[in-house]
């Protein structure tokens, strides 16, 4: 989740005093990097995935499953055995927000050859085995996006009570501070977000109204000092801490582009796929022990780190704050970055004018300048006393401070100073899946898509406000089947038009894009859109790929294809059906300890290949080629 520095964190009052300092030097650091590496051309496309995991304990005797708060120790053991022993170790482990979470990536990035697609799943398997091997008996590594009973009494091991008074970090009625990673960065972020905002964060998720769900659904919170009663909406699941959002897991992919231009082009193109891939990967229907009416985590995390004051949110006139800010720090992107994206930039962009001018004066073009000037409307949230005065030529912590706490659907990443890393973009919307097979399928699909976009110079851009509308639809229950998404019709035409009109052409109007189902977008529909899978298949036919790799890739594409057509369920849908059929479920939207235990037990057997799940993952994998336990 970003940079970790050692030292003494400053509280919000102190941090605030240095906000302008951090921004000023952050911009200087960005300019120094930019000027050194703007011309850099790399010829290979490197990429890598990030998987976030939860550590859970299965208590069979009591029929309970709990999150184990020993991520810190597990991480240390994994690093000691791995990267610290061997710099070429095949896996890398990093901390995440929850003290029950860890994050794993491949040790080295993947390169540009097709055969590497055949190693992704193996590497994910290595990660899973490696981490599993250091866990205690009855503990297991789960790749679930949100823990169904997160924030319910006794959901952690060891058990802790929340601290809903001022001295608590998040002051939550439900989420104990011990469930936050013990590195001070995470508690500082949590506390400073709350102090900056002037109150606890407010998360309201619509409840799924089942036959016996009370209507209206209104909860009472005995330990509430009044804040929860004011904030909780009727018919919603109310949550009040950063952990309810950042304590969720996801699947991300980072690409290194050949040049800054290519990175900007990819950033824009991939932005249009964020809602589509999020809906396809939907895996988080349950919150704080209740069945919700959404399938994805996005809005929950967004609200969980929303540090905007009332003024910034437009509830009061601006007096002490500088800007009216339309979105949380965790949200969808607000502007395209490539020159051809400019004409689709139709979202109101709040920027820091002074910073924008400073960037323009330094020779940065309008689109990149406004992108940075928009990220920099935010205040730094965590600052370490030892890290205030830096060497702007050789360090980038102040830039990274703001960059890494703008958690958007896409991230445009300049190279770190003095490294041989190139310009990168990160694709961040996807929810994590149960099995390494599914996670590999999503990763390989999106990487292949970038290859096709770059090779055929495709254009998927639509007005950015339409991508935002898609983001809203994507989170709804069963969006894959029922949602309609704005999507570009002629993805080749844009290129021809651009060449002809040299980018000066104004928007051609509504007929460039239309509403499509995910099935149409992925699988195609005669007369409307040819479909991404057919395009990828066509690309694959023209590539030299060894038989084995081709077979692996085709299996991945089949999974995506069938998830899109509805032949296979999303994880969210599958979890809903599991709960619905559970003998203890009373049609009242409540996930009891027992239901949660049985659900996660089932998830664990599917993850470890002890059980098949044909509704979620058909049996078309290459198990026959690679006989092993995980024959899904
Ligand atoms: N866990 C967060 C999510 O689900 C992402 C944190 C990160 O940026 O690594 O989106
Ligand atoms: Mg992460």
């Amino acid at each position: 989740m970003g940079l970790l520095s050692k030292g003494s964190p400053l509280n919000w009052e102190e941090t605030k005093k240095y906000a302008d300092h951090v921004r000023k030097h952050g911009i200087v650091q960005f300019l120094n990097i930019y000027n050194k590496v703007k011309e850099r051309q790399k010829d290979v496309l490197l990429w890598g995935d990030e998987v976030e995991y939860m550590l859970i304990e299965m208590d069979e005797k009591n029929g309970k499953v709990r999150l184990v708060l020993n991520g810190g120790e597990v991480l240390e053991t994994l690093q000691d055995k791995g990267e610290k022993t061997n710099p070429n170790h095949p896996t890398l482990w990093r901390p995440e927000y929850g003290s029950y979470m860890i994050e794993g990536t491949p040790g080295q990035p993947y390169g540009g050859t097709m055969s590497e697609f055949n190693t992704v799943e193996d590497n994910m398997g290595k990660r899973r085995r490696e981490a599993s091997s250091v866990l205690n008996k009855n503990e297991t590594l789960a790749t679930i996006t949100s823990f169904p009973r997160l924030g319910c009494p006794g959901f952690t091991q060891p058990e802790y009570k929340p601290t809903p008074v001022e001295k608590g970090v998040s002051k939550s009625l439900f989420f104990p501070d011990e469930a936050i990673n013990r590195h001070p960065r995470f508690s500082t972020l949590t506390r400073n977000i709350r102090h900056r905002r002037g109150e606890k964060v407010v998360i309201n998720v619509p409840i799924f109204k089942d036959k016996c769900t009370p209507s209206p659904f209104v909860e009472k919170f005995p330990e509430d000092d009044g804040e929860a009663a004011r904030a909780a909406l009727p018919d919603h699941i109310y949550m009040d801490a950063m952990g309810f959002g950042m304590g969720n897991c996801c699947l991300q992919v980072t690409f290194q582009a050949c040049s800054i231009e290519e990175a900007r082009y990819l950033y824009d193109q991939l932005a249009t796929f964020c809602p589509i891939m999020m809906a396809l990967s939907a895996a988080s229907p349950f919150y704080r022990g209740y069945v919700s009416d959404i399938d994805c985590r996005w809005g929950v995390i967004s609200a969980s780190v929303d540090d905007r004051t009332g003024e910034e949110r437009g509830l009061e006139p601006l007096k002490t704050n500088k800007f009216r800010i339309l979105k949380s720090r965790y949200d969808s992107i607000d502007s395209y970055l490539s020159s051809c994206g400019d004409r689709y930039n139709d979202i109101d962009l709040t920027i820091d004018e002074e910073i924008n001018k400073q960037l323009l004066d330094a020779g940065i073009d309008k689109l990149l300048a406004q992108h940075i000037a928009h990220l920099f409307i935010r205040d730094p949230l965590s600052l370490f006393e030892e890290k205030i005065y830096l060497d702007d030529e050789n360090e980038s912590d102040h830039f990274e401070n703001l960059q890494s706490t703008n958690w958007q659907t896409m991230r445009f990443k300049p190279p770190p100073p003095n490294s041989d890393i190139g310009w990168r973009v990160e694709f961040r919307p996807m929810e994590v899946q149960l099995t390494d097979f599914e996670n590999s399928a999503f990763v390989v699909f999106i990487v292949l898509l970038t290859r096709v976009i770059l090779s055929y110079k495709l254009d998927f851009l639509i007005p950015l406000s339409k991508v935002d509308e898609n983001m809203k639809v994507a989170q709804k229950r069963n969006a894959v089947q029922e949602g309609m998404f704005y999507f570009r019709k002629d993805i080749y035409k844009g290129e021809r038009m651009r060449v002809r009109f040299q980018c000066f052409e104004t928007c051609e109007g509504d007929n460039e894009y239309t509403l499509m189902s995910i099935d149409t977008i992925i699988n195609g529909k005669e007369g409307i859109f040819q479909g991404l899978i057919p395009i990828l298949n066509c690309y694959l036919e023209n590539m030299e790929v060894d038989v084995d790799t081709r077979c692996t890739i085709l299996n991945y594409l089949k999974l995506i294809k069938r998830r899109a057509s509805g032949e296979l369920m999303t994880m969210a849908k599958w979890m809903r059906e599991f709960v619905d059929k559970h003998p203890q479920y009373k049609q009242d939207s409540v996930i009891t300890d027992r239901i949660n235990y049985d659900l996660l037990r089932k998830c664990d057997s599917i993850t470890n290949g002890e059980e098949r799940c044909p509704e979620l993952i058909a049996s078309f994998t290459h198990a026959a080629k690679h006989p092993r336990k995980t024959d899904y």
Side-chain angles (χ1 to χ4, degrees), residues 217-232:
F217 171 80
V218 180
E219 284 182 286
K220 289 232 167 23
F221 308 109
E223 295 193 43
D224 178 26
D225 60 4
E227 194 168 345
R230 282 193 302 278

Side-chain angles (χ1 to χ4, degrees), residues 364-393:
I364 307 282
D365 61 280
K366 174 191 137 192
L367 289 167
L368 185 53
Q370 71 176 21
H371 167 76
I372 304 285
H374 176 58
L375 300 184
F376 273 61
I377 59 175
R378 312 284 173 173
D379 279 339
L381 290 173
S382 94
L383 186 61
F384 288 81
E385 205 178 305
E386 297 80 356
K387 288 276 189 181
I388 298 175
Y389 301 99
L390 302 173
D391 166 10
D392 292 339
E393 278 289 332

Side-chain angles (χ1 to χ4, degrees), residues 28 34 46 58 111 118-119 129 157 246 250 265 268 314 324 329 342 422 433 459 476 486 522 534 555 600 624:
V28 174
Y34 178 83
L46 299 178
M58 309 296 308
N118 215 2
T119 67
R129 282 191 297 278
Q157 173 63 273
M246 282 298 183
C250 69
Y265 171 57
D268 287 2
R324 166 94 173 80
R329 303 173 79 113
D342 196 18
Q433 309 292 303
D459 181 11
K476 293 197 175 143
Y486 291 103
I522 300 289
N555 279 332
L600 292 192

